[in-house]
């Protein structure tokens, strides 16, 4: 985020497995998060209904993280919402 300094949109594509991954990415300033791999796995395994299930699961986890953070909207997400190993926070 610091490298692009707002000059372009930042989209994370890869590594998203849980709703908390989505929250952390948005807290760090990403504009969007892709969830292709989990959706593709479910498409192969269970078809369109499986994709809908995995998206519902991710959204439920994401909403739970929002509630635990006390952030009613994504606009309330900040870098300080991500805690590093050892308990340190990202600088604002």
């Amino acid at each position: 985020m610091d490298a692009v300094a707002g000059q372009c949109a930042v989209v994370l594509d890869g590594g998203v497995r849980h709703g908390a991954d989505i929250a952390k990415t948005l807290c760090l300033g990403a504009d969007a998060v892709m969830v292709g791999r989990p959706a593709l796995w479910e498409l192969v395994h269970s078809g369109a209904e499986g994709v809908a299930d995995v998206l519902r699961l991710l959204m439920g986890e994401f909403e739970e993280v929002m509630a635990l953070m006390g952030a009613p909207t994504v606009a309330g997400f900040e870098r300080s919402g991500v805690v590093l190993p050892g308990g340190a926070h990202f600088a604002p």
Side-chain angles (χ1 to χ4, degrees):
M1 294 305 303
D2 295 337
V4 299
Q7 296 176 3
C8 66
V10 175
V11 180
L12 175 74
D13 184 16
V16 175
R17 301 292 178 271
H18 306 282
D21 298 329
I22 297 169
K24 287 184 274 188
T25 302
L26 295 175
C27 280
L28 294 175
D31 297 294
V33 180
M34 307 293 245
V35 292
R37 187 172 294 172
L40 287 175
W41 286 341
E42 284 302 314
L43 181 62
V44 170
H45 183 268
S46 303
E49 189 171 313
V51 174
D53 288 343
V54 78
L55 293 176
R56 274 192 292 276
L57 175 68
L58 286 170
M59 283 303 301
E61 292 174 350
F62 177 69
E63 290 169 353
E64 182 177 353
V65 170
M66 288 179 67
L68 292 170
M69 289 175 62
T73 67
V74 176
F77 282 16
E78 298 175 350
R79 290 172 64 115
S80 63
V82 178
V83 179
L84 300 171
H89 290 265
F90 276 94

